[in-house]
Amino acid sequence: MSLHAQNRRDMKEVNLVVIRVYDSVNEAEWDKSLLDSAGIWAMIRNEIMSALYPTGVMPAELVVRSADKARAQEVLEAYSAE
């Protein structure tokens, strides 16, 4: 199996969940960096589209692996509580 086919298969097996939705890509990037620094893989969906369309039309979505959801929410809650 080629590396490309293996990567596609692996991504199908990973369950991604949206943990937050943002009107501002900057806010999404900030929270993503918090998760990255905690060792939690995250990505932003609709990053470019969110910047192109008016606020609220195509929000940026912060997604993590479903197995990391609880920990990611803890990290983000801890920061927002400060």
Side-chain angles (χ1 to χ4, degrees):
M1 179 180 300
S2 74
L3 182 58
H4 179 69
Q6 177 68 36
N7 286 341
R8 283 191 3 206
R9 185 179 67 94
D10 290 347
M11 285 307 294
K12 287 180 183 177
E13 292 175 2
V14 173
N15 293 323
L16 300 178
V17 293
V18 177
I19 58 169
R20 289 207 177 162
V21 177
Y22 304 85
D23 288 330
S24 165
V25 175
N26 290 336
E27 290 176 24
E29 287 286 351
W30 178 260
D31 282 356
K32 181 183 178 302
S33 71
L34 292 172
L35 296 178
D36 288 344
S37 66
I40 300 170
W41 178 89
M43 68 175 259
I44 300 171
R45 280 192 200 151
N46 304 331
E47 185 173 7
I48 294 172
M49 300 306 284
S50 177
L52 293 175
Y53 285 95
T55 301
V57 172
M58 182 73 66
E61 299 174 334
L62 185 61
V63 297
V64 297
R65 293 179 183 104
S66 59
D68 295 331
K69 180 180 178 182
R71 177 72 181 123
Q73 289 173 327
E74 288 175 9
V75 169
L76 297 177
E77 289 296 322
Y79 177 77
S80 63
E82 293 179 357

